Amino acid sequence: MTETHDAPARIRPSRGADFSRIYGVGGYRPVRVIPNEEVLQWIDSSDEWIRTRSGISERRWAGPEETVSEMSVQAAGKAIAQAGIAPEQIGAVVVSTVSHLKQTPAIATEISHRLGCGTAAAFDISAACAGFGYGLSLADGMVRTGSAEYVLVIGVERLSDLTDTSDRSTAFIFGDGAGAVVVGPAAEPGIGKMVWGSDGAQADVISQTQAWDTAFAKEDAVNGAGDEIKWPALRMEGQTVFRWAVWEMAKVAQQALDAAGISADQLGAFIPHQANMRITDAMIKALKLPASVPVARDIAETGNTSAASIPLAMERMLASGEAKSGDLALVIGFGAGLVYAATVVTLP
Ligand SMILES: CC(C)(COP(=O)(O)OP(=O)(O)OC[C@H]1O[C@@H](n2cnc3c(N)ncnc32)[C@H](O)[C@@H]1OP(=O)(O)O)[C@@H](O)C(=O)NCCC(=O)NCCS
């Protein structure tokens, strides 16, 4: 009897499109506007201080009906419509959020179901203010390996649920909202290399005050009668974050430009995470961005909406005509973790 030497079993390679790009963007801003005057009822500050230190005039806070799911469905519905595809063509739904308060199941499955995305893969990611870039990088990979033809990336936050309105260093900063994009196959590169990373040594500089189990343990111990704040909130070392963002993030933004082979004067838009207008201005200077490049300044009316801030700002720039479809935009997100993600994209 002759022995057969079969070739070892080989997994068939999975290949999708050569490249990917964004086909649609949509945003949802809660109805309730919180002007600086309202913030002044909670903290000792002034409209002028808030405007000059952060660039924020007002922010939106979600009402009870404007849940993480509802805001996401509204934003994603617009993005899918603009992409001109049917919801069933979405193969994966990635939801980036740090403020969905129910840990399991992922809110992505509910959102996918409500949108009519059939059996699309659906999951949440936690990458704070870099969450949109992290999601975009996953989407790019999925489209190019063929594990999904179209991917819905949603950044959504209800940061008002995690805001301590008595904290002078954060009460004026955060806002709520959702932004979404549809990523799909393309013949030309529409998403550059993601320059991303983390610095866990600085995990404490922006974080939740306490874990939920600690909070509940305290609640039990004081039998609900203690006067300390038991509901966890976001805390941040403002100056440390500010310095890190200004020094390190301009370098990351430059690396993203270099990786994409694009010079600053070729950009049609600069859309940084809307953390603080002064951080944006410092980055413009460090990047030597020509004055002709429009810059997202959505923070003035939206506040810092973490994962939602870049797609919300992108939508606004396109809707106002400040930026055009097909323009190249430099996007960069950075925040709690610390984490960051930057790339160049072709606008939808
Ligand atoms: C939060 C931030 C605006 C504070 O500005 P800052 O200039 O660093 O403020 P400081 O904490 O150093 O305080 C400076 C002064 O303002 C005062 N101050 C602080 N908060 C204030 C407020 N809400 N209103 C008025 N005055 C305030 C301080 O008491 C201090 O006064 P003093 O000089 O008399 O001691 C700023 O640090 C920042 O934007 N950091 C980055 C935050 C960020 O982007 N986070 C999101 C990342 S995803």
Side-chain angles (χ1 to χ4, degrees), residues 39-40 43-46 49-50 53-54 128-129 167-174 206 236-245 273-279 299 304 306 334-336 338:
V39 174
L40 302 182
I43 54 168
D44 177 19
S45 188
S46 68
W49 192 94
I50 297 172
R53 295 293 176 120
S54 72
C129 309
D167 180 353
R168 279 176 104 206
S169 63
T170 56
F172 61 92
I173 285 189
F174 298 119
I206 314 173
M236 127 183 118
E237 292 173 26
Q239 293 235 2
T240 311
V241 177
F242 193 92
R243 278 195 299 269
W244 171 75
H273 166 49
Q274 302 293 290
N276 183 313
M277 202 88 88
R278 288 191 299 143
I279 293 176
I299 191 170
N304 176 343
S306 192
F334 46 87
L338 295 171

Side-chain angles (χ1 to χ4, degrees), residues 17 30 66 74 77 85 88 107 130 152 175 196 235 244 254 261 293 321 324 343-344:
E66 292 168 314
Q74 296 291 336
I85 61 162
E88 309 88 70
I107 194 62
L152 179 62
W196 58 350
R235 278 272 181 283
W244 171 75
Q254 186 60 55
V293 178
K324 302 186 307 294
T343 190
V344 176

Side-chain angles (χ1 to χ4, degrees), residues 88-113:
E88 309 88 70
Q89 289 177 267
I90 304 271
V93 177
V94 182
V95 177
S96 180
T97 183
V98 293
S99 49
H100 173 53
L101 298 180
K102 189 171 171 185
Q103 197 142 7
T104 196
I107 194 62
T109 60
E110 179 185 315
I111 294 166
S112 174
H113 175 68

Side-chain angles (χ1 to χ4, degrees), residues 114-287:
R114 288 183 61 191
L115 287 165
C117 298
T119 56
F123 58 97
D124 299 353
I125 59 171
S126 174
C129 309
F132 176 72
Y134 272 55
L136 201 60
S137 186
L138 294 178
D140 177 45
M142 286 187 243
V143 170
R144 290 164 62 178
T145 57
S147 50
E149 189 180 11
Y150 290 94
V151 181
L152 179 62
V153 179
I154 300 171
V156 57
E157 303 291 359
R158 272 180 63 107
L159 296 174
S160 58
D161 287 339
L162 292 170
T163 297
D164 173 359
T165 52
S166 68
D167 180 353
R168 279 176 104 206
S169 63
T170 56
F172 61 92
I173 285 189
F174 298 119
D176 302 336
V181 295
V182 171
V183 176
E188 293 289 323
I191 299 176
K193 175 182 168 178
M194 192 63 65
V195 177
W196 58 350
S198 69
D199 178 7
Q202 300 199 73
D204 288 342
V205 306
I206 314 173
S207 72
Q208 191 169 308
T209 41
Q210 53 193 341
W212 295 104
D213 57 350
T214 313
F216 279 109
K218 271 192 200 158
E219 170 82 23
D220 286 348
V222 298
N223 205 16
D227 58 4
E228 62 194 299
I229 296 161
K230 292 187 274 313
W231 185 260
L234 294 170
R235 278 272 181 283
M236 127 183 118
E237 292 173 26
Q239 293 235 2
T240 311
V241 177
F242 193 92
R243 278 195 299 269
W244 171 75
V246 167
W247 287 105
E248 303 302 328
M249 292 305 102
K251 288 185 218 158
V252 169
Q254 186 60 55
Q255 285 166 19
L257 284 174
D258 294 345
I262 298 296
S263 58
D265 60 359
Q266 292 176 306
L267 291 172
F270 176 41
I271 314 180
H273 166 49
Q274 302 293 290
N276 183 313
M277 202 88 88
R278 288 191 299 143
I279 293 176
T280 297
D281 288 333
M283 285 172 91
I284 291 170
K285 232 171 154 181
L287 287 167

